[in-house]
Amino acid sequence: MAIWARIKQLDLKQSFILGKTFLFKPGLLLPTYRATKNTVEICNQLFGKAHHQDNKTNAFRHALWNFLIAEASLPQCKEKNKAIAWAKEITDLHEKLSPNPKLPRAMDLHNNKIGRKLFEQGVTSTKIIEKLEAMMNEAQQINSTKEVIEGKLVFIEKCLNK
């Protein structure tokens, strides 16, 4: 997921929606970008390209991404609940602007929520990777949105590389 490449793929309407989102919260642009870049770098280092599929490593990435956005935006937002709300807003927007089928979108939204919940619960940035790796071992494979289990990472496809 090259960040700028993904942004360049947006059509005019999508670009306007994204721009408008940051127009009202310009101080969150850089922390969000850095958290996104950091997430991709960590996942590339841990999983190679495997995290671009709908597998456990993708679940890890989405949870980590939300955690890191909330953490990075906390100094600007000043309150934990506002940082969590921002992480939800921007990652929900990503899912809205991404051409994902229903089940992968539901999977991503669920795993995003897990990352925000871990931030809310006070998991530290020094422990988040360890925590998510442990959660990956307990991740639930799903075939429908009805199979999603609260508090567990979910995935669709088995990972061939991990």
Side-chain angles (χ1 to χ4, degrees):
M1 177 171 82
I3 300 164
W4 289 116
R6 177 67 187 114
I7 290 171
K8 287 179 190 178
Q9 291 176 345
L10 298 176
D11 64 27
L12 185 60
K13 181 180 177 187
Q14 292 170 324
S15 297
F16 178 76
I17 292 168
L18 183 62
K20 187 175 112 182
T21 301
F22 283 109
L23 180 66
F24 295 108
K25 297 175 182 166
L28 293 173
L29 177 62
L30 200 51
T32 301
Y33 174 78
R34 286 182 181 146
T36 302
K37 187 173 186 242
N38 194 15
T39 299
V40 173
E41 288 172 354
I42 290 168
C43 291
N44 282 345
Q45 190 174 41
L46 292 173
F47 312 118
K49 294 185 186 261
H51 66 96
H52 296 290
Q53 304 301 314
D54 292 329
N55 55 41
K56 290 181 183 184
T57 64
N58 180 273
F60 176 103
R61 186 185 81 218
H62 277 268
L64 179 64
W65 185 36
N66 276 257
F67 179 93
L68 292 179
I69 289 173
E71 180 182 63
S73 62
L74 182 58
Q76 180 73 23
C77 291
K78 308 270 191 274
E79 296 174 24
K80 201 175 217 184
N81 64 327
K82 289 181 180 178
I84 291 167
W86 170 250
K88 180 177 181 358
E89 179 180 347
I90 199 67
T91 58
D92 282 1
L93 179 61
H94 167 77
E95 294 306 325
K96 181 181 175 184
L97 298 178
S98 294
N100 248 352
K102 184 179 177 181
L103 186 58
R105 178 173 289 168
M107 176 193 72
D108 290 348
L109 289 169
H110 173 79
N111 292 325
N112 290 349
K113 182 179 175 183
I114 297 286
R116 294 189 304 269
K117 194 71 163 166
L118 291 172
F119 179 76
E120 181 180 46
Q121 292 170 348
V123 174
T124 63
S125 57
T126 58
K127 295 288 183 184
I128 189 61
I129 291 174
E130 182 180 316
K131 175 71 174 170
L132 289 173
E133 285 177 332
M135 290 182 79
M136 253 177 45
N137 293 329
E138 301 295 322
Q140 176 73 33
Q141 185 172 11
I142 61 170
N143 296 304
S144 78
T145 57
K146 295 175 184 170
E147 297 176 43
V148 171
I149 298 173
E150 281 304 311
K152 283 196 169 210
L153 293 174
V154 297
F155 67 100
I156 300 169
E157 303 169 5
K158 295 240 185 246
C159 183
L160 302 176
N161 299 351
K162 180 86 176 149

